[in-house]
C-alpha cells in the first residue's frame, strides 16, 4: 500500500506539520467495480471440486431447513422465523470459511449459518421458539447468540478479536449483518475500532435490498456498501452473494488476511431475500413480483447446479443424497417441534448475570415460592 503520510514525506502541498491529512492511498481499499463471481466463469474450473459439491449439499439441506422452519412458524410452533431463503450461499459459505478456532457473530437471520457452523439445527431455533435462552453453548461452538438488535454483535466481534490478538491467539471473528444494519451506529463504531486496533475481523454485509420494507436507495447514498470500508481505512470487497463459490473465496481471503495480521475487511454480498422479512411481514406491499421472479432466476442452488453440470461434477447420487439428508432433517424438525417442551420456569433467571443481583435473587425466590404453593394446591 502506498503511504502518503505527510509527516514522513518531505513536502505535501497544502498541509502544515501536525495537521490532519490523507495518510494512505485509498485506491487499494476500493472494491471491484463489479461483484466477484466464480460460477459460470473460467474461475469455476480452478475451484476445488470437493468444495463445490459440499457447497451444493449444504445449499440443498439449508433450503429445506428454511422451508420447514417457515412452515413450523405458520403452524405456531415457532414464535417467529426470519428465513434466509435465497441467501443460503452467504450462510453456508460464511460458516465454511472459518476455522474451528474462529468465532461467528450472527444476526437474527443467520440461523442457517449457525447450523452450518455445527450447532444442532433444533438448538439453533430455540431462541426463535421463544421458550428459553440462546439454546446452544456459544463457547462450545464458538458461535455467539443470534443478535436481534441490529449490528450490536459487530462491536462484540471486534472486542473478542482484539482480545485474542493481544493474547497471541490466531483467532478470527466474522460477523454477519444486513444492509439495514449498516445504518446503525454500532456498525460504524465497530468498523472504526476494528481498523484503528487492526483487529482480525471480517464484516459480512448481506445486502438483500431491503431493511424490512425500506429499499436500500432510501437508506444509503454510497456507491456501494463496500465503499464504506474506505472511510475507516480497511479494504472493501463486493461479491455476488448468490454465488456460493465466490462468497467462500472472498471470505476465505479476508479471513486469512486477518489471521496473518492484515487487519479487518468489509465484504458486501449482493443477494436477495425471496421470502417476506418474517411471518409478520407482507412483502407484496413494497416490492413487485417481477423483481422477485428475476432473483429466482439467480437462485444460489440453481447457479450451483448449472455450474456443477457444466463441470461434470453433479451426478444423480449426489442429488439424491442431498435430497434425502434434507428430508430427514425436516422430519426431525417436525417431530421435535410438534411436541410441547417441558420447561423449568426457574431457568428464566439463569445466565442473566455472572453474579445475580439482589433484585434478581428476590424475584427468583418469589417465583419459587409461588410455584411451590401452586404445587401444594394440586398435590
Amino acid at each position: 500500500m502506498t503511504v502518503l503520510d505527510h509527516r514522513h514525506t518531505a513536502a505535501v502541498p497544502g498541509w502544515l506539520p501536525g495537521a490532519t491529512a490523507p495518510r494512505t492511498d485509498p485506491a487499494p481499499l476500493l472494491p471491484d467495480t463489479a461483484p466477484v463471481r466464480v460460477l459460470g466463469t473460467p474461475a469455476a474450473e480452478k475451484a476445488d471440486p470437493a468444495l463445490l459439491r459440499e457447497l451444493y449439499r449444504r445449499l440443498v439441506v439449508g433450503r429445506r431447513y428454511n422451508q420447514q422452519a417457515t412452515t413450523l412458524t405458520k403452524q405456531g410452533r415457532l414464535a417467529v422465523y426470519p428465513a434466509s431463503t435465497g441467501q443460503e450461499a452467504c450462510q453456508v459459505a460464511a460458516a465454511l470459511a472459518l476455522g474451528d478456532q474462529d468465532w461467528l457473530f450472527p444476526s437474527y437471520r443467520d440461523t442457517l449459518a449457525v447450523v452450518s457452523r455445527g450447532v444442532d439445527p433444533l438448538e439453533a431455533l430455540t431462541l426463535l421458539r421463544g421458550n428459553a435462552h440462546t439454546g446452544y453453548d456459544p463457547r462450545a461452538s464458538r458461535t455467539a447468540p443470534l443478535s436481534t438488535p441490529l449490528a450490536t454483535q459487530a462491536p462484540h466481534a471486534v472486542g473478542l478479536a482484539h482480545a485474542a490478538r493481544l493474547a497471541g491467539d490466531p483467532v478470527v471473528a466474522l460477523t454477519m449483518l444486513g444492509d439495514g444494519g449498516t445504518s446503525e451506529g454500532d456498525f460504524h463504531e465497530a468498523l472504526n475500532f476494528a481498523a484503528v486496533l487492526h483487529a482480525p475481523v471480517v464484516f459480512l454485509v448481506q445486502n438483500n435490498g431491503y431493511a424490512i420494507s425500506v429499499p436500500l436507495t432510501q437508506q444509503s447514498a454510497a456507491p456501494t456498501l463496500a465503499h464504506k470500508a474506505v472511510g475507516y481505512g480497511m479494504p472493501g470487497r463486493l461479491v455476488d452473494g448468490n454465488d456460493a463459490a465466490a462468497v467462500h473465496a472472498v471470505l476465505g481471503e479476508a479471513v486469512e488476511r486477518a489471521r496473518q495480521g492484515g487487519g479487518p475487511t468489509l465484504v458486501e454480498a449482493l443477494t436477495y431475500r425471496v421470502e417476506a422479512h418474517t411471518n409478520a411481514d407482507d412483502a407484496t406491499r413494497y416490492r413487485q413480483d417481477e423483481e422477485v421472479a428475476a432473483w429466482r432466476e439467480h437462485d444460489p442452488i440453481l447457479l450451483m447446479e448449472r455450474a456443477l453440470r457444466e463441470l461434470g461434477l453433479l451426478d444423480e447420487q449426489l442429488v439424491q443424497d442431498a435430497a434425502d439428508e434434507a428430508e430427514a432433517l425436516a422430519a426431525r424438525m417436525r417431530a421435535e417441534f410438534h411436541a410441547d417442551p417441558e420447561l423449568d420456569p426457574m431457568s428464566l433467571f439463569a445466565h442473566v448475570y455472572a453474579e445475580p443481583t439482589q433484585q434478581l435473587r428476590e424475584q427468583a425466590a418469589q417465583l419459587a415460592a409461588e410455584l411451590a404453593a401452586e404445587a401444594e394446591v394440586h398435590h
Side-chain angles (χ1 to χ4, degrees), residues 1 28-31 226 229-230 233-237 257 262-267:
M1 181 181 300
L29 305 179
L30 289 169
V230 182
M234 69 176 72
R237 300 295 308 277
R257 177 176 178 275
T265 301
L266 170 63
V267 177

Side-chain angles (χ1 to χ4, degrees), residues 7-33:
R7 293 169 299 185
H8 303 289
T9 56
V12 176
W15 294 99
L16 298 176
T20 56
R23 297 198 298 166
T24 58
D25 179 1
L29 305 179
L30 289 169
D32 295 327
T33 54

Side-chain angles (χ1 to χ4, degrees), residues 234-254:
M234 69 176 72
R237 300 295 308 277
L238 191 63
V239 63
D240 183 336
N242 285 13
D243 182 334
V247 178
H248 183 271
V250 169
L251 289 179
E253 291 174 6

Side-chain angles (χ1 to χ4, degrees), residues 135-157:
Y136 55 86
D137 183 349
R139 291 181 184 275
S141 59
R142 296 211 161 205
T143 302
L146 298 167
S147 177
T148 300
L150 291 184
T152 56
Q153 74 276 20
H156 300 166

Side-chain angles (χ1 to χ4, degrees), residues 288-308:
Q288 302 299 314
D289 292 343
E290 293 78 8
E291 179 181 299
V292 180
W295 277 94
R296 286 191 184 279
E297 289 299 312
H298 197 64
D299 181 85
I301 297 178
L302 190 61
L303 293 181
M304 183 60 78
E305 284 180 343
R306 287 174 181 165
L308 289 178

Side-chain angles (χ1 to χ4, degrees), residues 325-337:
E325 182 180 350
E327 287 307 316
L329 174 58
R332 184 183 167 217
M333 293 167 69
R334 291 194 298 271
E336 173 71 20
F337 283 95

